[in-house]
Amino acid sequence: MVTVPVVRSELPIDTASLARYLIGKLVVRDLPEGIVSGHIVETEAYVIGDAAGHAYRGMTRRNRSLFLECGHAYVYIAYGSSFMLNVSSEMPGIGAGVLIRALEPLEGIPIMQLNRGVDRLRDLARGPGRLAAALRIDGRLDGLDLCRKGPLWLGHSDREAGEIALSTRIGISRDADRPLRFYLRGNPFVSGPKRLRE
DNA sequence: AGTGCGATTGACT
DNA sequence: GTCAATCGCACTA
């Protein structure tokens, strides 16, 4: 697969714009068994001053990667067992980021199937915890620069993305009405209930 | 030291 | 569709 990393200077600084920009880009994972990758089909923006964002109450040990220059990984555990992959956004020192919620599998599908313990293509990376498991993403990747080739990085795709739709975010209670979720309309690899996929 | 709560998932009706 | 498991983290004292 011929793909090049996204260029940091081309990333939109604004968090919501970055969330939209990342739809259709590639997440590439370099594992000992081979390359695993997929197209991003769903993201959520956790913007500056967002009560639902992990940086809302300032920097802590867990969320410090959110304050890095845009294009770095913020990886944390939700509900005790599921890892979540985020891309930091905004200027250095500003805590905001984009949650990558779902991938359409592209390369290394047999590796994903082993990592997930399921075969069905649609179930491999539909949902943020499943995505991280499929790509074997854990806390050791927290803080990584995603704009250069390495164990985990973001790449350009030559495929046309399709229509990008907007909705409220999934699984939060505070600031729940803000339309900050981006997804490819009708794409079967998008998570959430039916009404949030069409 | 104790408490409450999730940016979820998988099993089940 | 419903619901419980699960445990790290932030907050209170």
Side-chain angles (χ1 to χ4, degrees):
Chain A
M1 176 62 52
V2 286
T3 185
V4 295
V6 298
V7 178
R8 174 166 287 108
S9 62
E10 292 176 358
L11 297 181
I13 285 294
D14 171 73
T15 304
S17 301
L18 178 64
R20 190 178 202 287
Y21 172 89
L22 289 175
I23 297 290
K25 300 297 183 295
L26 296 170
V27 176
V28 184
R29 178 79 167 110
D30 195 345
L31 289 170
E33 307 95 298
I35 296 290
V36 179
S37 72
H39 281 98
I40 298 172
V41 296
E42 181 185 1
T43 61
E44 283 178 354
Y46 288 85
V47 301
I48 295 173
D50 187 346
H54 285 182
Y56 186 58
R57 293 169 204 277
M59 192 188 297
T60 65
R61 174 155 63 230
R62 172 176 72 157
N63 69 18
R64 61 193 155 86
S65 297
L66 274 179
F67 293 80
L68 295 172
E69 184 177 29
C70 65
H72 287 77
Y74 165 50
V75 179
Y76 74 96
I77 302 181
Y79 294 99
S81 52
S82 299
F83 286 98
M84 308 277 135
L85 171 65
N86 296 253
V87 181
S88 69
S89 60
E90 309 288 344
M91 304 291 282
I94 303 293
V98 175
L99 172 67
I100 311 298
R101 285 194 59 91
L103 296 182
E104 178 173 337
L106 180 64
E107 298 172 282
I109 289 168
I111 301 172
M112 291 197 209
Q113 289 169 325
L114 284 170
N115 287 341
R116 286 272 298 120
V118 299
D119 283 345
R120 193 175 175 220
L121 197 60
R122 184 163 180 261
D123 292 339
L124 292 180
R126 179 173 44 98
R130 293 166 176 163
L131 180 164
L135 270 55
R136 210 181 299 158
I137 289 169
D138 63 28
R140 290 174 296 205
L141 297 172
D142 184 47
L144 190 74
D145 181 4
L146 300 175
C147 299
R148 53 178 295 172
K149 290 193 179 186
L152 181 69
W153 50 282
L154 295 167
H156 281 286
S157 167
D158 51 11
R159 190 177 81 168
E160 181 134 2
E163 184 191 351
I164 298 175
L166 189 55
S167 82
T168 55
R169 295 172 291 182
I170 292 176
I172 59 168
S173 52
R174 293 172 301 191
D175 270 346
D177 293 333
R178 305 177 71 175
L180 291 170
R181 171 176 174 266
F182 299 82
Y183 62 99
L184 285 181
R185 189 186 300 282
N187 184 290
F189 300 93
V190 172
S191 75
K194 190 176 180 184
R195 67 176 185 82
L196 292 182
R197 289 188 271 114
E198 46 190 33

